[in-house]
């Protein structure tokens, strides 16, 4: 609501401050579209640790659905509360902090296990007794702390790094849901699973979910105010593009000779 109200007050995307054009409330609200997503991204947490969960094919889907219901209800209550107690917009849009250590460490471990990142043997090591990827967890925590220190020197640089979080997450959703839709369109059999919504409801959820994240992905690159400064600019496009270029170059120049896709491990 903060970004939506801020953009609307400043004339909206395409609006002219002199008042020659009306502000675009619709575009402003679409740019603020990414805010409520944070109340709905909890379910993906369980996906990153199925190897550490007993009876994962049953427990993980149950955890995802129950988390979605709880987060949706409590998120709506929080949104209503914030709407009435928001206060000054400047204070409400202060920089956020980083809190994705669990997800990052498990993703690092998974890619290292499949030899998709440098120093794969070190990051894929499972600590005996603890049965967790301790090296990946410690490195993720260390980099989280170091990234937080950037805010002490440059708020612009810190925001630029944080900007990649939402768009990268949404891109992963677009990719995974898109491949499932592609297999459905081709009439190919999906992977074996113990929990399924069935064909009609599965199609509906995939299409609606894919459309939702695509819209959110596009507007996640927009700044939250008209005529942004260096501080208020959304640097997601620059950071995301830079990481994508480096990752693509690393894959084609080196990692493709070592990377083992997860499905190949099941064969």
């Amino acid at each position: 609501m903060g970004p939506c109200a801020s953009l609307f007050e400043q004339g909206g995307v395409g609006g002219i401050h002199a008042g020659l054009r009306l502000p675009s409330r619709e575009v402003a609200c679409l740019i603020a579209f990414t805010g409520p997503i944070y109340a709905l991204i909890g379910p993906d947490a369980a996906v990153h640790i199925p190897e550490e969960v007993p009876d994962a094919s049953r427990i993980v889907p149950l955890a995802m659905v129950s988390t979605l219901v709880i987060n949706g209800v409590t998120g709506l209550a929080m949104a209503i509360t914030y709407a009435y107690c928001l206060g000054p917009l400047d204070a409400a849009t202060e920089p956020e902090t980083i809190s994705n250590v669990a997800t990052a460490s498990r993703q690092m471990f998974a890619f290292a296990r499949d030899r998709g990142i440098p120093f794969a043997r070190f990051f894929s090591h499972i600590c005996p007794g603890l049965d967790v990827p301790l090296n990946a967890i410690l490195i993720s925590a260390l980099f989280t702390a170091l990234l937080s220190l950037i805010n002490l020197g440059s708020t612009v640089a810190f925001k630029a790094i944080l900007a990649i979080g939402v768009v990268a997450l949404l891109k992963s959703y677009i990719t995974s849901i898109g491949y499932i839709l592609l297999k459905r369109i081709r009439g190919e059999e999906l992977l074996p699973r113990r929990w399924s919504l069935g064909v009609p409801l599965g199609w509906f959820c995939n299409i609606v979910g894919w459309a939702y994240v695509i819209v959110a992905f596009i507007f996640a690159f927009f700044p939250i105010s008209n005529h942004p400064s260096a501080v208020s600019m959304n640097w997601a496009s620059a950071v995301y593009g830079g990481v994508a270029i480096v990752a693509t170059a690393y894959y084609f120049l080196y990692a493709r000779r070592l990377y083992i896709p997860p499905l190949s491990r099941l064969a």
Side-chain angles (χ1 to χ4, degrees), residues 51-68:
E51 295 170 327
E52 304 170 38
V53 178
D55 196 15
S57 61
R58 175 181 176 272
I59 298 300
V60 171
L62 182 62
M64 292 177 66
V65 174
S66 59
T67 301
L68 179 63

Side-chain angles (χ1 to χ4, degrees), residues 29-84:
C29 289
L30 284 173
I31 294 175
F33 193 57
T34 56
I37 290 177
Y38 283 103
L40 301 174
I41 61 175
D44 81 311
V47 178
H48 302 292
I49 54 173
E51 295 170 327
E52 304 170 38
V53 178
D55 196 15
S57 61
R58 175 181 176 272
I59 298 300
V60 171
L62 182 62
M64 292 177 66
V65 174
S66 59
T67 301
L68 179 63
V69 173
I70 295 173
N71 281 12
V73 174
T74 56
L76 178 61
M78 290 173 61
I80 295 174
T81 302
Y82 285 150
Y84 282 96

Side-chain angles (χ1 to χ4, degrees), residues 1-9 25 28-29 31-36 78-87 89 92-93 224:
M1 180 171 178
C4 179
S6 176
L7 185 61
F8 180 70
E9 288 178 359
R25 185 188 298 269
C29 289
I31 294 175
F33 193 57
T34 56
M78 290 173 61
I80 295 174
T81 302
Y82 285 150
Y84 282 96
C85 307
L86 188 61
L89 292 178
T93 56
I224 64 173

Side-chain angles (χ1 to χ4, degrees), residues 93-96 150-151 154-165 224 230-236 239:
T93 56
E94 286 296 312
E96 61 271 32
I150 295 176
N151 194 41
S154 174
T155 302
V156 176
F158 184 67
K159 285 186 175 181
I161 295 173
L162 290 183
I164 195 177
I224 64 173
V231 176
S232 63
M233 178 61 184
N234 185 348
W235 296 101
V239 180

Side-chain angles (χ1 to χ4, degrees), residues 206-259:
N206 289 155
I207 293 174
V208 172
W210 201 54
Y212 179 90
V213 294
I214 285 179
V215 173
F217 178 76
I218 293 172
F219 285 97
F221 291 98
F222 281 59
I224 64 173
S225 61
N226 201 17
H227 303 294
S229 63
V231 176
S232 63
M233 178 61 184
N234 185 348
W235 296 101
S237 56
V239 180
Y240 179 78
V243 172
I245 292 173
V246 172
T248 302
Y250 172 74
Y251 174 78
F252 282 104
L253 294 177
Y254 181 74
R256 66 174 178 171
R257 297 191 296 269
L258 302 175
Y259 178 64

Side-chain angles (χ1 to χ4, degrees), residues 135-184:
N135 292 345
I137 294 174
L138 293 178
I139 293 298
S140 297
L142 174 62
F143 272 88
T144 299
L146 294 177
L147 289 174
S148 300
L149 294 177
I150 295 176
N151 194 41
L152 299 177
S154 174
T155 302
V156 176
F158 184 67
K159 285 186 175 181
I161 295 173
L162 290 183
I164 195 177
V166 173
V167 294
L169 184 67
L170 292 175
K171 183 56 165 51
S172 69
Y173 293 163
I174 291 173
T175 303
S176 56
I177 299 175
Y179 276 116
I180 293 177
L181 272 175
L182 182 61
K183 291 181 71 69
R184 290 185 184 275

